[in-house]
Amino acid sequence: MQPRNMSMSGVVDLAAVKAAGEAKAKAEQARAEAARKAAQGGAPAPAGAVPPSALVFDTDETRFESHVVPLSGEVPVILDFRAEGFEQGRELSLLLERLTLEANGRLALAALDVAANQNLIREFRIQALPAVFAVVAGQAMPLFQDLPSEGEVRGVLAQLVQIAEERFGVIGVEVDPGAEGAAAPGQGAVEAEEPAGPYDALLDEAIAALDADDLDGAVRAYKNVLAADPSNTDAKLGLAQTELFVRVKDMNPQAVRAAAAENPKDPAAQIAAADLDLAGGHVADAFGRLVDTVKVTFGDDRDAVRVRLLEMFEVVGPDNPLVTSARTALARVLF
């Protein structure tokens, strides 16, 4: 497949719509918003020197508005939509990472998993991979939707940096190679050793509730932790597992499996049967059932099945090879 013309004309046209003064005002507004969120404990403000590696990070739909958009008022953010198992796109992703680090604060790179971010897939109207966009001062711009050469990528990124500065007043951030350990955009600060957290008592409360067979109490305790600390790994895993137990505890296994056999395209029937599979330890069966259901459903039905499958990945854990295989299979049926 030959790369298509890598002209940045679309970006220039988009930028030209805005007067220079209006564009710079947007950039200043994004900077102020980033600072406000930082003061409230939200997105870290990009002010001050950061390590180069902090400008290459993973993001998702939740953090897109709260982290990526404000950051784009300081530095052009490349959006790289990725899928596990899409080996053709891996080389492009590695190239983007390398060139972002070489840009020395003039670019940032945010990677998104297509299987987990379907709302953004629809918003950006992505039909196939690879798909690479940029966000500058809150404005989205298409970059690549094919496999370009390194020279073409370098040329486009150079134009992106130039347009960001001239049209939007976005000039990048200061980097400090010796500042490793500083917080990455869209992520919290990393500590060498994690101290005892403020939520240990609530996590203990959840475990005690599970021991007492109080599933509802455990769910409440885990949700209380996540309300204040959405990235708490223990609470996310505990909640996913407990909610699975809640869903299956009153099921009639024979009736559920009979309904699934009779209605192979019914998302509710297949989700219920997959929950039983997972709760019974049949992980591959649960994943396979839902991937097959994604193939034959559309719209909201497909999205409901996909979301439940992603929840199951949380229950099993991202490092499990069955999760890796299922993510690859899901990406293949989605694209």
Side-chain angles (χ1 to χ4, degrees), residues 146-256:
D146 213 318
L147 294 171
S149 68
E150 179 172 341
E152 289 171 320
V153 175
R154 285 184 179 275
V156 169
L157 296 186
Q159 291 181 59
L160 173 62
V161 169
Q162 181 180 0
I163 290 167
E165 181 173 351
E166 294 179 355
R167 303 277 186 171
F168 292 91
V170 175
I171 61 174
V173 298
E174 181 183 358
V175 297
D176 178 4
E180 296 298 337
Q187 301 176 2
V190 178
E191 299 181 356
E193 292 185 8
E194 184 178 355
Y199 312 110
D200 288 349
L202 284 173
L203 292 172
D204 290 342
E205 180 182 322
I207 294 172
L210 289 173
D211 289 341
D213 202 25
D214 179 9
L215 298 180
D216 292 337
V219 168
R220 286 194 299 272
Y222 285 130
K223 286 184 175 180
N224 286 338
V225 175
L226 292 171
D229 182 14
S231 63
N232 189 291
T233 303
D234 292 337
K236 287 172 67 176
L237 176 60
L239 179 62
Q241 293 175 339
T242 305
E243 287 184 331
L244 172 65
F245 296 147
V246 169
R247 292 195 298 268
V248 303
K249 69 175 182 177
D250 293 326
M251 284 185 181
N252 181 321
Q254 291 77 18
V256 168

Side-chain angles (χ1 to χ4, degrees), residues 81-95:
F81 290 88
R82 302 177 179 181
E84 283 201 44
F86 182 63
E87 293 302 323
Q88 288 179 304
R90 177 171 171 76
E91 185 174 346
L92 176 59
S93 296
L94 292 175
L95 175 61

Side-chain angles (χ1 to χ4, degrees), residues 62-127:
T62 302
R63 291 185 291 243
F64 181 77
E65 290 294 336
S66 63
H67 298 269
V68 172
V69 173
L71 180 65
S72 74
E74 290 285 342
V75 58
V77 182
I78 304 165
L79 298 181
D80 182 15
F81 290 88
R82 302 177 179 181
E84 283 201 44
F86 182 63
E87 293 302 323
Q88 288 179 304
R90 177 171 171 76
E91 185 174 346
L92 176 59
S93 296
L94 292 175
L95 175 61
L96 290 172
E97 291 180 9
R98 176 162 58 85
L99 296 183
T100 298
L101 294 176
E102 288 181 8
N104 199 35
R106 307 290 296 278
L107 292 169
L109 175 66
L112 297 106
D113 176 8
V114 295
N117 295 281
Q118 287 293 295
N119 289 332
L120 284 177
I121 294 297
R122 287 190 287 269
E123 184 175 339
F124 281 83
R125 299 179 182 178
I126 294 172
Q127 301 296 322

Side-chain angles (χ1 to χ4, degrees), residues 230-320:
S231 63
N232 189 291
T233 303
D234 292 337
K236 287 172 67 176
L237 176 60
L239 179 62
Q241 293 175 339
T242 305
E243 287 184 331
L244 172 65
F245 296 147
V246 169
R247 292 195 298 268
V248 303
K249 69 175 182 177
D250 293 326
M251 284 185 181
N252 181 321
Q254 291 77 18
V256 168
R257 296 197 182 283
E262 293 171 3
N263 303 281
K265 296 184 179 181
D266 182 345
Q270 298 306 318
I271 286 172
D275 279 343
L276 279 179
D277 289 338
L278 189 62
H282 305 292
V283 178
D285 291 341
F287 290 172
R289 179 186 296 276
L290 293 191
V291 169
D292 288 343
T293 307
V294 169
K295 294 178 184 177
V296 297
T297 51
F298 304 92
D300 291 342
D301 286 345
R302 167 181 275 199
D303 201 48
V305 177
R306 179 188 63 84
V307 168
R308 178 55 54 82
L309 184 54
L310 295 178
E311 291 172 354
M312 288 184 171
F313 293 164
E314 292 285 346
V315 173
V316 177
D319 296 330
N320 190 298

